[in-house]
Amino acid sequence: MNRVYLDNAATTPMRPEVIDHMVQVMQTEYGNASSTHSFGRSAKTILETARKSIAKIMGCEARELIFTSNATEATNLILTSAVRDLGIQRIITSRMEHHATLYTVAKLVQEQGVEAVYLPANADGTVDVSGLDALLADGKPTLVTLMHVNNETGALLDIEKVGTICRAHQALFHCDTVQSVGKWALPLHDLPVDFAVASAHKFHGPKGVGFAYIAKHVVIKPLIVGGEQEKGLRAGTEAVHQIAGMAKALELDAIDLEHDQNYIACLKDYCWEQLQLAFPGIKTNGEHTFYNILNVTLPMSEEKAAMILFNLDMKGIAVSRGSACQSGSSKPSHVLAQFVAEEDLKRPALRISFSRFNTKADIDALLDALKGI
Ligand code: PLP
């Protein structure tokens, strides 16, 4: 069976060049980057070269990047430390954030007594930030955490707007940039953000590695202790091969960025056109969304909603749950629940997400499979 992967917001296939590079690093650079002998020094050089390369692409300083196991860890570190070490008393966020943020905020509310304020959603799936300025006007020490690209809908946040409001009130701004790093130019020093996070597996790098961007004017303390790695901010022997692979992936993404953006946007347009032809009455969840994510509600019955992912999977097609009552879950998507009408939440919604490795033939296969359901 010819398998089709259209779930690139969940994770992406690794680029072959990244795998080759990692294999080479694993074979030759097995020293511990903390060791002082030549093996260690050589591993350290790989590590710091990767840091510099990522910093150059991200428009920040190498010392502002902390390597972590993934973005979830990076977000845990940043939010926890902001409350514990920086005197943050209130976190402003939205109910459409990734659980990495939502669960960390809930934990901080429960354990540290921090106040959480949730901004509402607009009808187009974006966060309604119109009340942010007024909220921050009371001067309470606050951190705002909002994602750049929503991983379910592709809804976009105006980073410039939110960050500028935050700066005007001396509030800190953490932006979850997991879905846009490697896919969008994010010159961090030109953006009003204090913290950003990334996971390499979302941009054709390896799983199990990511980074936290912590602007140099912010001083935090570690979550994981036990060593002096990462300037003492994240103890544990660095996964040199993973970090080297992450840098390689980002370097290649940067080279191909414009081409890939255009190519993937065309795939998304084609998919949407074909879906509309095949399923009159189909709706998108979110408007003007990021170029690689398409979230749609199909005009099908509730019964079909329950089995749609399973049926697609049986035909070798991988897409993701977009809303309620699918793949055994009776809970609606916490994101769609914020802005999609109750009636539509019962219908099958799919998140289709594309990468440079997809073709129109993949979309044709998805359409054929959907028509047969
Ligand atoms: N934030 C967003 C927007 C995501 O899409 C994801 C992963 O799905 C994460 C955070 C967490 O990333 P990871 O599971 O790699 O830590």
mmCIF file with all atom_site columns, all heavy atoms in Angstrom, residues 9-10 69-73 75 98 100-101 147 149-151 176-179 197 199-202 209 351, ligand 1:
data_model
loop_
_atom_site.group_PDB
_atom_site.id
_atom_site.type_symbol
_atom_site.label_atom_id
_atom_site.label_alt_id
_atom_site.label_comp_id
_atom_site.label_asym_id
_atom_site.label_entity_id
_atom_site.label_seq_id
_atom_site.pdbx_PDB_ins_code
_atom_site.Cartn_x
_atom_site.Cartn_y
_atom_site.Cartn_z
_atom_site.occupancy
_atom_site.B_iso_or_equiv
_atom_site.pdbx_formal_charge
_atom_site.auth_seq_id
_atom_site.auth_comp_id
_atom_site.auth_asym_id
_atom_site.auth_atom_id
_atom_site.pdbx_PDB_model_num
ATOM   1   N N   . ALA A 1 9   ? 2.182  18.885 10.905 1.00 0.00 ? 9   ALA A N   1
ATOM   2   C CA  . ALA A 1 9   ? 2.157  19.737 12.098 1.00 0.00 ? 9   ALA A CA  1
ATOM   3   C C   . ALA A 1 9   ? 2.424  18.885 13.337 1.00 0.00 ? 9   ALA A C   1
ATOM   4   O O   . ALA A 1 9   ? 2.824  19.401 14.381 1.00 0.00 ? 9   ALA A O   1
ATOM   5   C CB  . ALA A 1 9   ? 0.818  20.459 12.220 1.00 0.00 ? 9   ALA A CB  1
ATOM   6   N N   . ALA A 1 10  ? 2.208  17.574 13.221 1.00 0.00 ? 10  ALA A N   1
ATOM   7   C CA  . ALA A 1 10  ? 2.506  16.672 14.350 1.00 0.00 ? 10  ALA A CA  1
ATOM   8   C C   . ALA A 1 10  ? 3.999  16.414 14.406 1.00 0.00 ? 10  ALA A C   1
ATOM   9   O O   . ALA A 1 10  ? 4.631  16.540 15.461 1.00 0.00 ? 10  ALA A O   1
ATOM   10  C CB  . ALA A 1 10  ? 1.746  15.358 14.195 1.00 0.00 ? 10  ALA A CB  1
ATOM   11  N N   . SER A 1 69  ? 15.380 19.197 25.583 1.00 0.00 ? 69  SER A N   1
ATOM   12  C CA  . SER A 1 69  ? 14.975 17.949 24.931 1.00 0.00 ? 69  SER A CA  1
ATOM   13  C C   . SER A 1 69  ? 13.852 18.188 23.926 1.00 0.00 ? 69  SER A C   1
ATOM   14  O O   . SER A 1 69  ? 13.623 17.355 23.051 1.00 0.00 ? 69  SER A O   1
ATOM   15  C CB  . SER A 1 69  ? 14.528 16.928 25.977 1.00 0.00 ? 69  SER A CB  1
ATOM   16  O OG  . SER A 1 69  ? 13.425 17.429 26.690 1.00 0.00 ? 69  SER A OG  1
ATOM   17  N N   . ASN A 1 70  ? 13.137 19.262 24.072 1.00 0.00 ? 70  ASN A N   1
ATOM   18  C CA  . ASN A 1 70  ? 12.063 19.607 23.126 1.00 0.00 ? 70  ASN A CA  1
ATOM   19  C C   . ASN A 1 70  ? 11.448 20.951 23.548 1.00 0.00 ? 70  ASN A C   1
ATOM   20  O O   . ASN A 1 70  ? 11.911 21.576 24.506 1.00 0.00 ? 70  ASN A O   1
ATOM   21  C CB  . ASN A 1 70  ? 10.986 18.512 23.062 1.00 0.00 ? 70  ASN A CB  1
ATOM   22  C CG  . ASN A 1 70  ? 10.476 18.136 24.443 1.00 0.00 ? 70  ASN A CG  1
ATOM   23  O OD1 . ASN A 1 70  ? 10.363 18.988 25.329 1.00 0.00 ? 70  ASN A OD1 1
ATOM   24  N ND2 . ASN A 1 70  ? 10.178 16.869 24.636 1.00 0.00 ? 70  ASN A ND2 1
ATOM   25  N N   . ALA A 1 71  ? 10.411 21.340 22.843 1.00 0.00 ? 71  ALA A N   1
ATOM   26  C CA  . ALA A 1 71  ? 9.783  22.633 23.152 1.00 0.00 ? 71  ALA A CA  1
ATOM   27  C C   . ALA A 1 71  ? 8.976  22.578 24.446 1.00 0.00 ? 71  ALA A C   1
ATOM   28  O O   . ALA A 1 71  ? 8.856  23.579 25.160 1.00 0.00 ? 71  ALA A O   1
ATOM   29  C CB  . ALA A 1 71  ? 8.878  23.054 22.005 1.00 0.00 ? 71  ALA A CB  1
ATOM   30  N N   . THR A 1 72  ? 8.427  21.419 24.754 1.00 0.00 ? 72  THR A N   1
ATOM   31  C CA  . THR A 1 72  ? 7.646  21.290 25.989 1.00 0.00 ? 72  THR A CA  1
ATOM   32  C C   . THR A 1 72  ? 8.536  21.605 27.189 1.00 0.00 ? 72  THR A C   1
ATOM   33  O O   . THR A 1 72  ? 8.142  22.364 28.092 1.00 0.00 ? 72  THR A O   1
ATOM   34  C CB  . THR A 1 72  ? 7.064  19.859 26.105 1.00 0.00 ? 72  THR A CB  1
ATOM   35  O OG1 . THR A 1 72  ? 6.277  19.605 24.947 1.00 0.00 ? 72  THR A OG1 1
ATOM   36  C CG2 . THR A 1 72  ? 6.223  19.692 27.348 1.00 0.00 ? 72  THR A CG2 1
ATOM   37  N N   . GLU A 1 73  ? 9.726  21.033 27.180 1.00 0.00 ? 73  GLU A N   1
ATOM   38  C CA  . GLU A 1 73  ? 10.660 21.318 28.283 1.00 0.00 ? 73  GLU A CA  1
ATOM   39  C C   . GLU A 1 73  ? 11.038 22.802 28.299 1.00 0.00 ? 73  GLU A C   1
ATOM   40  O O   . GLU A 1 73  ? 11.096 23.423 29.368 1.00 0.00 ? 73  GLU A O   1
ATOM   41  C CB  . GLU A 1 73  ? 11.922 20.455 28.128 1.00 0.00 ? 73  GLU A CB  1
ATOM   42  C CG  . GLU A 1 73  ? 12.882 20.662 29.285 1.00 0.00 ? 73  GLU A CG  1
ATOM   43  C CD  . GLU A 1 73  ? 14.290 20.137 29.007 1.00 0.00 ? 73  GLU A CD  1
ATOM   44  O OE1 . GLU A 1 73  ? 14.433 19.081 28.362 1.00 0.00 ? 73  GLU A OE1 1
ATOM   45  O OE2 . GLU A 1 73  ? 15.238 20.801 29.454 1.00 0.00 ? 73  GLU A OE2 1
ATOM   46  N N   . THR A 1 75  ? 9.310  25.357 27.283 1.00 0.00 ? 75  THR A N   1
ATOM   47  C CA  . THR A 1 75  ? 8.187  26.150 27.793 1.00 0.00 ? 75  THR A CA  1
ATOM   48  C C   . THR A 1 75  ? 8.036  25.974 29.305 1.00 0.00 ? 75  THR A C   1
ATOM   49  O O   . THR A 1 75  ? 7.799  26.945 30.034 1.00 0.00 ? 75  THR A O   1
ATOM   50  C CB  . THR A 1 75  ? 6.887  25.779 27.031 1.00 0.00 ? 75  THR A CB  1
ATOM   51  O OG1 . THR A 1 75  ? 6.981  26.349 25.721 1.00 0.00 ? 75  THR A OG1 1
ATOM   52  C CG2 . THR A 1 75  ? 5.642  26.294 27.706 1.00 0.00 ? 75  THR A CG2 1
ATOM   53  N N   . HIS A 1 98  ? -1.106 25.354 23.039 1.00 0.00 ? 98  HIS A N   1
ATOM   54  C CA  . HIS A 1 98  ? -0.730 23.940 23.137 1.00 0.00 ? 98  HIS A CA  1
ATOM   55  C C   . HIS A 1 98  ? -0.744 23.538 24.620 1.00 0.00 ? 98  HIS A C   1
ATOM   56  O O   . HIS A 1 98  ? -0.522 24.366 25.502 1.00 0.00 ? 98  HIS A O   1
ATOM   57  C CB  . HIS A 1 98  ? 0.681  23.760 22.564 1.00 0.00 ? 98  HIS A CB  1
ATOM   58  C CG  . HIS A 1 98  ? 1.071  22.328 22.388 1.00 0.00 ? 98  HIS A CG  1
ATOM   59  N ND1 . HIS A 1 98  ? 1.665  21.600 23.390 1.00 0.00 ? 98  HIS A ND1 1
ATOM   60  C CD2 . HIS A 1 98  ? 0.948  21.502 21.337 1.00 0.00 ? 98  HIS A CD2 1
ATOM   61  C CE1 . HIS A 1 98  ? 1.898  20.370 22.950 1.00 0.00 ? 98  HIS A CE1 1
ATOM   62  N NE2 . HIS A 1 98  ? 1.470  20.281 21.705 1.00 0.00 ? 98  HIS A NE2 1
ATOM   63  N N   . ALA A 1 100 ? 1.405  22.074 26.231 1.00 0.00 ? 100 ALA A N   1
ATOM   64  C CA  . ALA A 1 100 ? 2.700  22.364 26.880 1.00 0.00 ? 100 ALA A CA  1
ATOM   65  C C   . ALA A 1 100 ? 2.597  23.669 27.667 1.00 0.00 ? 100 ALA A C   1
ATOM   66  O O   . ALA A 1 100 ? 3.162  23.804 28.758 1.00 0.00 ? 100 ALA A O   1
ATOM   67  C CB  . ALA A 1 100 ? 3.804  22.464 25.831 1.00 0.00 ? 100 ALA A CB  1
ATOM   68  N N   . THR A 1 101 ? 1.872  24.614 27.123 1.00 0.00 ? 101 THR A N   1
ATOM   69  C CA  . THR A 1 101 ? 1.657  25.895 27.811 1.00 0.00 ? 101 THR A CA  1
ATOM   70  C C   . THR A 1 101 ? 0.513  25.784 28.813 1.00 0.00 ? 101 THR A C   1
ATOM   71  O O   . THR A 1 101 ? 0.662  26.152 29.990 1.00 0.00 ? 101 THR A O   1
ATOM   72  C CB  . THR A 1 101 ? 1.336  27.002 26.771 1.00 0.00 ? 101 THR A CB  1
ATOM   73  O OG1 . THR A 1 101 ? 2.483  27.178 25.954 1.00 0.00 ? 101 THR A OG1 1
ATOM   74  C CG2 . THR A 1 101 ? 0.967  28.311 27.446 1.00 0.00 ? 101 THR A CG2 1
ATOM   75  N N   . MET A 1 147 ? 0.897  31.616 21.275 1.00 0.00 ? 147 MET A N   1
ATOM   76  C CA  . MET A 1 147 ? 1.653  30.961 20.220 1.00 0.00 ? 147 MET A CA  1
ATOM   77  C C   . MET A 1 147 ? 1.596  31.746 18.919 1.00 0.00 ? 147 MET A C   1
ATOM   78  O O   . MET A 1 147 ? 0.607  32.436 18.649 1.00 0.00 ? 147 MET A O   1
ATOM   79  C CB  . MET A 1 147 ? 1.151  29.529 20.024 1.00 0.00 ? 147 MET A CB  1
ATOM   80  C CG  . MET A 1 147 ? -0.209 29.406 19.384 1.00 0.00 ? 147 MET A CG  1
ATOM   81  S SD  . MET A 1 147 ? -1.192 28.044 20.089 1.00 0.00 ? 147 MET A SD  1
ATOM   82  C CE  . MET A 1 147 ? -0.229 26.631 19.616 1.00 0.00 ? 147 MET A CE  1
ATOM   83  N N   . VAL A 1 149 ? 1.882  30.389 15.650 1.00 0.00 ? 149 VAL A N   1
ATOM   84  C CA  . VAL A 1 149 ? 1.007  29.675 14.712 1.00 0.00 ? 149 VAL A CA  1
ATOM   85  C C   . VAL A 1 149 ? 0.317  28.566 15.484 1.00 0.00 ? 149 VAL A C   1
ATOM   86  O O   . VAL A 1 149 ? 0.988  27.722 16.089 1.00 0.00 ? 149 VAL A O   1
ATOM   87  C CB  . VAL A 1 149 ? 1.830  29.058 13.555 1.00 0.00 ? 149 VAL A CB  1
ATOM   88  C CG1 . VAL A 1 149 ? 0.951  28.174 12.676 1.00 0.00 ? 149 VAL A CG1 1
ATOM   89  C CG2 . VAL A 1 149 ? 2.492  30.147 12.727 1.00 0.00 ? 149 VAL A CG2 1
ATOM   90  N N   . ASN A 1 150 ? -1.005 28.576 15.473 1.00 0.00 ? 150 ASN A N   1
ATOM   91  C CA  . ASN A 1 150 ? -1.730 27.532 16.190 1.00 0.00 ? 150 ASN A CA  1
ATOM   92  C C   . ASN A 1 150 ? -1.527 26.184 15.487 1.00 0.00 ? 150 ASN A C   1
ATOM   93  O O   . ASN A 1 150 ? -1.727 26.081 14.271 1.00 0.00 ? 150 ASN A O   1
ATOM   94  C CB  . ASN A 1 150 ? -3.217 27.871 16.287 1.00 0.00 ? 150 ASN A CB  1
ATOM   95  C CG  . ASN A 1 150 ? -3.944 26.877 17.170 1.00 0.00 ? 150 ASN A CG  1
ATOM   96  O OD1 . ASN A 1 150 ? -4.188 25.738 16.766 1.00 0.00 ? 150 ASN A OD1 1
ATOM   97  N ND2 . ASN A 1 150 ? -4.248 27.282 18.377 1.00 0.00 ? 150 ASN A ND2 1
ATOM   98  N N   . ASN A 1 151 ? -1.143 25.177 16.266 1.00 0.00 ? 151 ASN A N   1
ATOM   99  C CA  . ASN A 1 151 ? -0.799 23.886 15.667 1.00 0.00 ? 151 ASN A CA  1
ATOM   100 C C   . ASN A 1 151 ? -2.011 23.131 15.131 1.00 0.00 ? 151 ASN A C   1
ATOM   101 O O   . ASN A 1 151 ? -1.871 22.237 14.307 1.00 0.00 ? 151 ASN A O   1
ATOM   102 C CB  . ASN A 1 151 ? -0.045 23.009 16.671 1.00 0.00 ? 151 ASN A CB  1
ATOM   103 C CG  . ASN A 1 151 ? -0.798 22.826 17.963 1.00 0.00 ? 151 ASN A CG  1
ATOM   104 O OD1 . ASN A 1 151 ? -1.082 23.792 18.656 1.00 0.00 ? 151 ASN A OD1 1
ATOM   105 N ND2 . ASN A 1 151 ? -1.144 21.600 18.291 1.00 0.00 ? 151 ASN A ND2 1
ATOM   106 N N   . ASP A 1 176 ? 5.282  30.886 21.739 1.00 0.00 ? 176 ASP A N   1
ATOM   107 C CA  . ASP A 1 176 ? 5.492  29.502 21.316 1.00 0.00 ? 176 ASP A CA  1
ATOM   108 C C   . ASP A 1 176 ? 5.608  29.520 19.786 1.00 0.00 ? 176 ASP A C   1
ATOM   109 O O   . ASP A 1 176 ? 4.604  29.635 19.084 1.00 0.00 ? 176 ASP A O   1
ATOM   110 C CB  . ASP A 1 176 ? 4.309  28.644 21.793 1.00 0.00 ? 176 ASP A CB  1
ATOM   111 C CG  . ASP A 1 176 ? 4.373  27.218 21.277 1.00 0.00 ? 176 ASP A CG  1
ATOM   112 O OD1 . ASP A 1 176 ? 5.142  26.948 20.335 1.00 0.00 ? 176 ASP A OD1 1
ATOM   113 O OD2 . ASP A 1 176 ? 3.632  26.370 21.811 1.00 0.00 ? 176 ASP A OD2 1
ATOM   114 N N   . THR A 1 177 ? 6.833  29.407 19.318 1.00 0.00 ? 177 THR A N   1
ATOM   115 C CA  . THR A 1 177 ? 7.094  29.504 17.873 1.00 0.00 ? 177 THR A CA  1
ATOM   116 C C   . THR A 1 177 ? 7.357  28.122 17.256 1.00 0.00 ? 177 THR A C   1
ATOM   117 O O   . THR A 1 177 ? 7.983  28.022 16.190 1.00 0.00 ? 177 THR A O   1
ATOM   118 C CB  . THR A 1 177 ? 8.317  30.420 17.632 1.00 0.00 ? 177 THR A CB  1
ATOM   119 O OG1 . THR A 1 177 ? 9.360  30.044 18.555 1.00 0.00 ? 177 THR A OG1 1
ATOM   120 C CG2 . THR A 1 177 ? 7.989  31.875 17.847 1.00 0.00 ? 177 THR A CG2 1
ATOM   121 N N   . VAL A 1 178 ? 6.857  27.088 17.922 1.00 0.00 ? 178 VAL A N   1
ATOM   122 C CA  . VAL A 1 178 ? 7.142  25.710 17.480 1.00 0.00 ? 178 VAL A CA  1
ATOM   123 C C   . VAL A 1 178 ? 6.729  25.465 16.036 1.00 0.00 ? 178 VAL A C   1
ATOM   124 O O   . VAL A 1 178 ? 7.442  24.818 15.278 1.00 0.00 ? 178 VAL A O   1
ATOM   125 C CB  . VAL A 1 178 ? 6.453  24.699 18.428 1.00 0.00 ? 178 VAL A CB  1
ATOM   126 C CG1 . VAL A 1 178 ? 6.477  23.291 17.842 1.00 0.00 ? 178 VAL A CG1 1
ATOM   127 C CG2 . VAL A 1 178 ? 7.130  24.708 19.778 1.00 0.00 ? 178 VAL A CG2 1
ATOM   128 N N   . GLN A 1 179 ? 5.578  25.981 15.647 1.00 0.00 ? 179 GLN A N   1
ATOM   129 C CA  . GLN A 1 179 ? 5.078  25.682 14.291 1.00 0.00 ? 179 GLN A CA  1
ATOM   130 C C   . GLN A 1 179 ? 5.681  26.594 13.228 1.00 0.00 ? 179 GLN A C   1
ATOM   131 O O   . GLN A 1 179 ? 5.480  26.347 12.037 1.00 0.00 ? 179 GLN A O   1
ATOM   132 C CB  . GLN A 1 179 ? 3.547  25.763 14.250 1.00 0.00 ? 179 GLN A CB  1
ATOM   133 C CG  . GLN A 1 179 ? 2.848  24.661 15.022 1.00 0.00 ? 179 GLN A CG  1
ATOM   134 C CD  . GLN A 1 179 ? 3.019  23.268 14.392 1.00 0.00 ? 179 GLN A CD  1
ATOM   135 O OE1 . GLN A 1 179 ? 3.337  23.125 13.216 1.00 0.00 ? 179 GLN A OE1 1
ATOM   136 N NE2 . GLN A 1 179 ? 2.830  22.231 15.196 1.00 0.00 ? 179 GLN A NE2 1
ATOM   137 N N   . VAL A 1 197 ? 10.412 29.330 21.675 1.00 0.00 ? 197 VAL A N   1
ATOM   138 C CA  . VAL A 1 197 ? 10.770 27.912 21.823 1.00 0.00 ? 197 VAL A CA  1
ATOM   139 C C   . VAL A 1 197 ? 10.656 27.189 20.487 1.00 0.00 ? 197 VAL A C   1
ATOM   140 O O   . VAL A 1 197 ? 9.894  27.600 19.605 1.00 0.00 ? 197 VAL A O   1
ATOM   141 C CB  . VAL A 1 197 ? 9.871  27.198 22.868 1.00 0.00 ? 197 VAL A CB  1
ATOM   142 C CG1 . VAL A 1 197 ? 10.097 27.749 24.258 1.00 0.00 ? 197 VAL A CG1 1
ATOM   143 C CG2 . VAL A 1 197 ? 8.393  27.281 22.500 1.00 0.00 ? 197 VAL A CG2 1
ATOM   144 N N   . SER A 1 199 ? 11.113 22.980 18.522 1.00 0.00 ? 199 SER A N   1
ATOM   145 C CA  . SER A 1 199 ? 11.375 21.538 18.546 1.00 0.00 ? 199 SER A CA  1
ATOM   146 C C   . SER A 1 199 ? 11.853 21.148 17.152 1.00 0.00 ? 199 SER A C   1
ATOM   147 O O   . SER A 1 199 ? 11.152 21.400 16.165 1.00 0.00 ? 199 SER A O   1
ATOM   148 C CB  . SER A 1 199 ? 10.085 20.758 18.840 1.00 0.00 ? 199 SER A CB  1
ATOM   149 O OG  . SER A 1 199 ? 10.055 20.308 20.172 1.00 0.00 ? 199 SER A OG  1
ATOM   150 N N   . ALA A 1 200 ? 13.020 20.492 17.079 1.00 0.00 ? 200 ALA A N   1
ATOM   151 C CA  . ALA A 1 200 ? 13.626 20.215 15.766 1.00 0.00 ? 200 ALA A CA  1
ATOM   152 C C   . ALA A 1 200 ? 12.780 19.305 14.881 1.00 0.00 ? 200 ALA A C   1
ATOM   153 O O   . ALA A 1 200 ? 12.815 19.414 13.658 1.00 0.00 ? 200 ALA A O   1
ATOM   154 C CB  . ALA A 1 200 ? 15.006 19.591 15.967 1.00 0.00 ? 200 ALA A CB  1
ATOM   155 N N   . HIS A 1 201 ? 12.000 18.407 15.514 1.00 0.00 ? 201 HIS A N   1
ATOM   156 C CA  . HIS A 1 201 ? 11.257 17.446 14.684 1.00 0.00 ? 201 HIS A CA  1
ATOM   157 C C   . HIS A 1 201 ? 10.123 18.097 13.888 1.00 0.00 ? 201 HIS A C   1
ATOM   158 O O   . HIS A 1 201 ? 9.547  17.476 12.999 1.00 0.00 ? 201 HIS A O   1
ATOM   159 C CB  . HIS A 1 201 ? 10.714 16.290 15.538 1.00 0.00 ? 201 HIS A CB  1
ATOM   160 C CG  . HIS A 1 201 ? 9.608  16.655 16.477 1.00 0.00 ? 201 HIS A CG  1
ATOM   161 N ND1 . HIS A 1 201 ? 8.295  16.430 16.165 1.00 0.00 ? 201 HIS A ND1 1
ATOM   162 C CD2 . HIS A 1 201 ? 9.612  17.218 17.705 1.00 0.00 ? 201 HIS A CD2 1
ATOM   163 C CE1 . HIS A 1 201 ? 7.537  16.831 17.181 1.00 0.00 ? 201 HIS A CE1 1
ATOM   164 N NE2 . HIS A 1 201 ? 8.317  17.320 18.132 1.00 0.00 ? 201 HIS A NE2 1
ATOM   165 N N   . LYS A 1 202 ? 9.816  19.350 14.204 1.00 0.00 ? 202 LYS A N   1
ATOM   166 C CA  . LYS A 1 202 ? 8.773  20.039 13.428 1.00 0.00 ? 202 LYS A CA  1
ATOM   167 C C   . LYS A 1 202 ? 9.345  20.630 12.144 1.00 0.00 ? 202 LYS A C   1
ATOM   168 O O   . LYS A 1 202 ? 8.600  21.111 11.299 1.00 0.00 ? 202 LYS A O   1
ATOM   169 C CB  . LYS A 1 202 ? 8.153  21.174 14.257 1.00 0.00 ? 202 LYS A CB  1
ATOM   170 C CG  . LYS A 1 202 ? 7.583  20.751 15.600 1.00 0.00 ? 202 LYS A CG  1
ATOM   171 C CD  . LYS A 1 202 ? 6.275  20.029 15.474 1.00 0.00 ? 202 LYS A CD  1
ATOM   172 C CE  . LYS A 1 202 ? 5.698  19.769 16.875 1.00 0.00 ? 202 LYS A CE  1
ATOM   173 N NZ  . LYS A 1 202 ? 4.467  19.013 16.837 1.00 0.00 ? 202 LYS A NZ  1
ATOM   174 N N   . VAL A 1 209 ? 14.985 16.943 20.644 1.00 0.00 ? 209 VAL A N   1
ATOM   175 C CA  . VAL A 1 209 ? 15.856 18.110 20.823 1.00 0.00 ? 209 VAL A CA  1
ATOM   176 C C   . VAL A 1 209 ? 15.108 19.379 20.404 1.00 0.00 ? 209 VAL A C   1
ATOM   177 O O   . VAL A 1 209 ? 14.296 19.361 19.479 1.00 0.00 ? 209 VAL A O   1
ATOM   178 C CB  . VAL A 1 209 ? 17.187 17.952 20.036 1.00 0.00 ? 209 VAL A CB  1
ATOM   179 C CG1 . VAL A 1 209 ? 16.962 17.888 18.537 1.00 0.00 ? 209 VAL A CG1 1
ATOM   180 C CG2 . VAL A 1 209 ? 18.181 19.038 20.399 1.00 0.00 ? 209 VAL A CG2 1
ATOM   181 N N   . ARG A 1 351 ? -7.343 17.974 10.326 1.00 0.00 ? 351 ARG A N   1
ATOM   182 C CA  . ARG A 1 351 ? -6.190 18.860 10.145 1.00 0.00 ? 351 ARG A CA  1
ATOM   183 C C   . ARG A 1 351 ? -5.279 18.188 9.126  1.00 0.00 ? 351 ARG A C   1
ATOM   184 O O   . ARG A 1 351 ? -4.790 17.088 9.362  1.00 0.00 ? 351 ARG A O   1
ATOM   185 C CB  . ARG A 1 351 ? -5.435 19.069 11.448 1.00 0.00 ? 351 ARG A CB  1
ATOM   186 C CG  . ARG A 1 351 ? -4.201 19.933 11.228 1.00 0.00 ? 351 ARG A CG  1
ATOM   187 C CD  . ARG A 1 351 ? -3.337 20.027 12.451 1.00 0.00 ? 351 ARG A CD  1
ATOM   188 N NE  . ARG A 1 351 ? -2.668 18.784 12.751 1.00 0.00 ? 351 ARG A NE  1
ATOM   189 C CZ  . ARG A 1 351 ? -1.854 18.602 13.785 1.00 0.00 ? 351 ARG A CZ  1
ATOM   190 N NH1 . ARG A 1 351 ? -1.643 19.595 14.620 1.00 0.00 ? 351 ARG A NH1 1
ATOM   191 N NH2 . ARG A 1 351 ? -1.259 17.441 14.012 1.00 0.00 ? 351 ARG A NH2 1
HETATM 192 N N1  . PLP B 2 .   ? 3.810  23.959 20.893 1.00 0.00 ? 1   PLP B N1  1
HETATM 193 C C1  . PLP B 2 .   ? 3.227  23.695 19.716 1.00 0.00 ? 1   PLP B C1  1
HETATM 194 C C2  . PLP B 2 .   ? 2.537  24.786 18.984 1.00 0.00 ? 1   PLP B C2  1
HETATM 195 C C3  . PLP B 2 .   ? 3.280  22.413 19.180 1.00 0.00 ? 1   PLP B C3  1
HETATM 196 O O1  . PLP B 2 .   ? 2.685  22.159 18.008 1.00 0.00 ? 1   PLP B O1  1
HETATM 197 C C4  . PLP B 2 .   ? 3.952  21.412 19.889 1.00 0.00 ? 1   PLP B C4  1
HETATM 198 C C5  . PLP B 2 .   ? 3.964  20.021 19.386 1.00 0.00 ? 1   PLP B C5  1
HETATM 199 O O2  . PLP B 2 .   ? 2.978  19.535 18.864 1.00 0.00 ? 1   PLP B O2  1
HETATM 200 C C6  . PLP B 2 .   ? 4.571  21.744 21.103 1.00 0.00 ? 1   PLP B C6  1
HETATM 201 C C7  . PLP B 2 .   ? 4.475  23.030 21.571 1.00 0.00 ? 1   PLP B C7  1
HETATM 202 C C8  . PLP B 2 .   ? 5.331  20.737 21.887 1.00 0.00 ? 1   PLP B C8  1
HETATM 203 O O3  . PLP B 2 .   ? 6.410  20.252 21.145 1.00 0.00 ? 1   PLP B O3  1
HETATM 204 P P1  . PLP B 2 .   ? 7.192  18.942 21.643 1.00 0.00 ? 1   PLP B P1  1
HETATM 205 O O4  . PLP B 2 .   ? 6.167  17.864 21.819 1.00 0.00 ? 1   PLP B O4  1
HETATM 206 O O5  . PLP B 2 .   ? 8.150  18.657 20.549 1.00 0.00 ? 1   PLP B O5  1
HETATM 207 O O6  . PLP B 2 .   ? 7.835  19.286 22.910 1.00 0.00 ? 1   PLP B O6  1
#
